[in-house]
Structure formats: C-alpha cells, structure tokens
Amino acid sequence: MSSPQACNAYLRPVRDAMDVLGGKWKIPIIMLLSLKERRFKEIQREIGVTAKVLSQELKDLESHELVRRTVFDTVPISVEYALTDYGRTLERVIGEIRQWGVLHRERILEHS
C-alpha cells in the first residue's frame, strides 16, 4: 500500500464485514437458516447457544437486514426466523469459509 489511507481503505470493508459476522454464533445461525426457516427454540437446540445470547445475535442480524423475524398470531404466539434475500448473499462467502475449514482440519489432523 502506498499510504496509510490507502491501506485503511483496503482493510475497512473487511473490518465492516467482521463487525457484522464476528463472534462465535452469527455464522452458525446464518448457516442453519440458509437450510430453512426456524423457530427460536429450534435454533437454540440445534447450535447449542443460550437463549440470552441467541436473542442478542438474532436482533443484531435483524438490524443488519440479514435475518427476518415473523410473528404468528397463534396460541401461544410463535416466532420464526429466516434469512432475507440480502442474508442469502452470504451463502457463497460462508460456503468458502466452510470449505477452507475442511481443508484446514485435514491439514491439522495430518500433522498431529
């Protein structure tokens, strides 16, 4: 990079993406919802996250327009979460991360 400003401009989009997707649970939530919409308890059970953390992560993903929350007028009320069309734009990116993880795991196991 020719200058600190150019370097910062180059890195800024990566930092922005990591701010949205960072943490332990966001990518697993997105991966799970890419398969089909799910209710809160299903997500919680399938990825093994606490209700408090899941609630926060879903709110964050919703605020970034990656996840849609739909409330159904049932007794008791049920809530379903799904990826938005914008959220689906991450499927290829996350698929690439997953593939790298497969290769990395094979490499590490090969050396242990």
Side-chain angles (χ1 to χ4, degrees):
M1 297 284 131
S2 58
S3 70
Q5 294 83 6
C7 184
N8 191 39
Y10 184 76
L11 294 174
R12 186 177 304 121
V14 174
R15 281 196 302 252
D16 292 345
M18 294 309 297
D19 285 345
V20 173
L21 299 174
K24 183 177 180 178
W25 301 109
K26 287 184 181 138
I27 290 178
I29 291 167
I30 292 168
M31 288 179 71
L32 193 60
L33 293 177
S34 74
L35 302 173
K36 71 173 191 158
E37 61 280 341
R38 293 208 169 41
R39 293 186 177 171
F40 186 91
K41 287 287 188 185
E42 288 177 293
I43 300 168
Q44 184 182 11
R45 184 176 49 252
E46 290 186 43
I47 65 172
V49 62
T50 66
K52 180 180 177 181
V53 170
L54 179 57
S55 178
Q56 183 56 52
E57 298 289 69
L58 287 167
K59 283 178 187 174
D60 197 36
L61 290 169
E62 192 177 3
S63 76
H64 288 286
E65 301 178 2
L66 300 173
V67 169
R68 180 183 67 253
R69 179 180 187 264
T70 305
V71 179
F72 295 96
D73 189 20
T74 57
V75 178
I77 291 175
S78 58
V79 179
E80 195 171 82
Y81 295 88
L83 283 186
T84 62
D85 289 342
Y86 184 54
R88 290 209 173 274
T89 65
L90 289 167
E91 289 175 325
R92 187 174 55 92
V93 173
I94 292 171
E96 290 292 326
I97 292 170
R98 183 188 176 282
Q99 185 57 40
W100 183 87
V102 168
L103 294 173
H104 179 68
R105 177 173 291 276
E106 288 171 0
R107 180 183 178 112
I108 295 303
L109 291 175
E110 192 175 279
H111 293 113
S112 45

